[in-house]
Amino acid sequence: MADPKQIKINSMRQKYNTPAWKLFLIYDIFMMVIIVVNLVCLALNAFLLSNFAHWLFNEIHLSQLLDFYKSDLHPWVVKIESWFIIFLVVELGIRWLIAIVRKHHKRWFFFPFVHWYEILAIIPYLRFLRLIRSVIIAYRLEELGYKIIPVSWKKTALFYYRVVMEELSDRVVITVIDGIRTELDTSSSHKKIIHDLVDHHRVMFAETLAQVLQESLAVELKNQQDNISHSVGQIVNQAIADTPELTRLLRLIPIVGNTIEHQIQSIGQRLGENITQGLIQPFVQGSPDTLNPNYRLIAEKVSQMNIDNQSLEQLVESVVYESLESIRKQVKIKQWQLVLEKNDQAKEASIH
């Protein structure tokens, strides 16, 4: 079976396998390279002009080399940066014009909003935003199947991204849960909140209870129907046998009195069994898709019960508090630590 991702890559390559797109691809790679080189040069320039670099070069006795850079090379870095900014402005203007002509966007003025990071990156103090364009180009090339970023780098970046997002989301969730607990502990309106919570879920509770009754009670009644009816019949039989007045009356009838007594007991047993079968039958009907109307009625009545009862209120409060605490415990589990432990165990297993 073909890999869907590879199929998508092949389809995109066929779609973009035109001279114009190849030229565009080469231009993207060129822009990515010069942006990265530009940012590296600016980073080195900032380092060499810092007090730390001054101290470091003095310590290693290369202060003359640093002075040479400041006097002869630094002015060129400034000039090249100025030329590069002019190039970015012109390049952006040309691309904007092409976008207008080819109608890449629904309105001509959408271009600067879509490429906001490129416009802001022209400002000297926001040069770091140029890196966003390089990342976008690299991502586009990755989508086309060109391995620009090593797999190990991507896995590492994805792992630390998930670490940051998990830590942030965990702190938000824990703060919200603690706020809810504090509100329930201190607010006089927490009972109203709980009542509103119950009222909001009454319909869902009724539906769930009806399904539970249908899937458990109905099935069990159907399985035990014969046993229950037989037991009830035995009870009726024994009740007739344990009625001394009837026994004495029947024994007054000569010859057939004893036979009549046994017949009455048998009839009573059958009546008990049939009545029991008739009582149980309405409760074994239905299915998970078509719920028994009796169970639905029972569930609706139970769901509408009044919870203005101290025991019920304590039960609901306990459920709410324990649910919040369970969520809090689950959120506090660091999934990224589990991933690290799993990776460490896999490495140890491969070594041994």
Side-chain angles (χ1 to χ4, degrees):
M1 187 176 179
D3 185 6
K5 185 176 180 181
Q6 189 60 42
I7 293 174
K8 180 181 178 182
I9 290 173
N10 294 335
S11 175
M12 291 180 67
R13 283 185 174 179
Q14 290 177 359
K15 179 181 178 181
Y16 301 138
N17 191 22
T18 61
W21 270 105
K22 288 181 179 178
L23 183 63
F24 180 72
L25 183 65
I26 294 171
Y27 179 74
D28 263 356
I29 296 173
F30 167 73
M31 286 301 301
M32 182 177 65
V33 171
I34 64 172
I35 287 173
V36 170
V37 171
N38 171 256
L39 291 176
V40 170
C41 292
L42 291 176
L44 289 174
N45 179 69
F47 167 72
L48 292 173
L49 295 180
S50 64
N51 293 329
F52 176 75
H54 180 76
W55 169 83
L56 178 62
F57 276 77
N58 283 334
E59 289 295 322
I60 60 178
H61 306 291
L62 291 176
S63 56
Q64 293 180 349
L65 182 62
L66 184 61
D67 292 338
F68 171 75
Y69 172 81
K70 291 180 178 179
S71 60
D72 294 355
L73 298 182
H74 174 65
W76 279 102
V77 173
V78 176
K79 288 181 182 179
I80 292 173
E81 173 62 13
S82 301
W83 295 340
F84 190 69
I85 291 175
I86 295 172
F87 167 74
L88 290 178
V89 172
V90 174
E91 186 260 353
L92 189 65
I94 294 173
R95 287 171 50 222
W96 191 354
L97 182 61
I98 293 172
I100 294 173
V101 173
R102 298 180 65 89
K103 296 181 179 180
H104 290 168
H105 309 288
K106 291 185 176 181
R107 295 289 186 274
W108 66 270
F109 53 85
F110 281 9
F111 182 87
F113 294 99
V114 174
H115 300 272
W116 58 270
Y117 51 90
E118 296 184 44
I119 295 174
L120 293 179
I122 296 172
I123 302 173
Y125 291 105
L126 299 176
R127 295 186 185 103
F128 63 92
L129 291 177
R130 297 172 190 173
L131 189 61
I132 297 178
R133 184 175 178 185
S134 296
V135 171
I136 291 174
I137 294 172
Y139 177 75
R140 188 185 301 142
L141 294 173
E142 286 282 338
E143 280 193 324
L144 291 172
Y146 299 99
K147 302 298 180 184
I148 304 298
I149 305 173
V151 177
S152 59
W153 290 16
K154 288 194 291 186
K155 288 184 177 179
T156 303
L158 181 61
F159 172 76
Y160 284 108
Y161 168 77
R162 288 174 176 172
V163 169
V164 172
M165 294 306 296
E166 182 180 353
E167 290 296 330
L168 290 175
S169 61
D170 286 356
R171 293 314 310 166
V172 171
V173 173
I174 289 175
T175 302
V176 171
I177 291 175
D178 290 343
I180 294 173
R181 287 180 61 91
T182 303
E183 183 69 19
L184 292 176
D185 290 336
T186 58
S187 175
S188 59
S189 62
H190 72 281
K191 289 187 178 181
K192 182 179 182 302
I193 296 173
I194 293 175
H195 280 236
D196 291 341
L197 183 65
V198 172
D199 291 338
H200 181 69
H201 291 87
R202 286 186 187 274
V203 176
M204 186 184 297
F205 175 75
E207 188 69 22
T208 304
L209 180 58
Q211 290 180 357
V212 170
L213 291 174
Q214 183 67 59
E215 294 174 0
S216 57
L217 182 57
V219 173
E220 193 61 28
L221 281 176
K222 189 172 182 179
N223 293 335
Q224 299 295 328
Q225 187 173 3
D226 293 337
N227 293 334
I228 295 172
S229 61
H230 181 71
S231 298
V232 173
Q234 291 288 342
I235 293 171
V236 174
N237 189 341
Q238 189 62 40
I240 294 173
D242 292 340
T243 307
E245 295 82 2
L246 179 61
T247 303
R248 285 196 299 269
L249 180 63
L250 291 174
R251 286 178 181 175
L252 293 175
I253 302 173
I255 303 173
V256 295
N258 194 32
T259 303
I260 294 174
E261 180 182 358
H262 288 297
Q263 288 294 326
I264 291 175
Q265 289 178 348
S266 177
I267 292 170
Q269 181 172 346
R270 291 298 301 275
L271 281 173
E273 292 177 356
N274 292 337
I275 291 172
T276 304
Q277 290 276 0
L279 291 174
I280 293 176
Q281 189 61 35
F283 292 94
V284 300
Q285 297 173 352
S287 65
D289 296 328
T290 307
L291 298 178
N292 189 304
N294 296 304
Y295 294 139
R296 189 180 291 278
L297 178 62
I298 293 171
E300 288 177 357
K301 294 300 182 182
V302 172
S303 67
Q304 296 301 323
M305 63 181 170
N306 188 1
I307 64 169
D308 289 326
N309 177 286
Q310 186 175 2
S311 299
L312 280 174
E313 287 181 350
Q314 290 176 352
L315 173 62
V316 175
E317 287 182 10
S318 176
V319 170
V320 172
Y321 278 103
E322 289 189 13
S323 299
L324 292 174
E325 186 60 27
S326 298
I327 296 172
R328 195 177 192 279
K329 288 180 180 179
Q330 182 63 33
V331 169
K332 289 183 71 174
I333 297 175
K334 306 298 182 184
Q335 298 296 330
W336 60 270
Q337 289 182 352
L338 299 179
V339 173
L340 281 180
E341 292 176 1
K342 186 177 180 180
N343 292 338
D344 292 340
Q345 291 174 0
K347 289 180 182 178
E348 292 178 0
S350 63
I351 292 173
H352 296 295

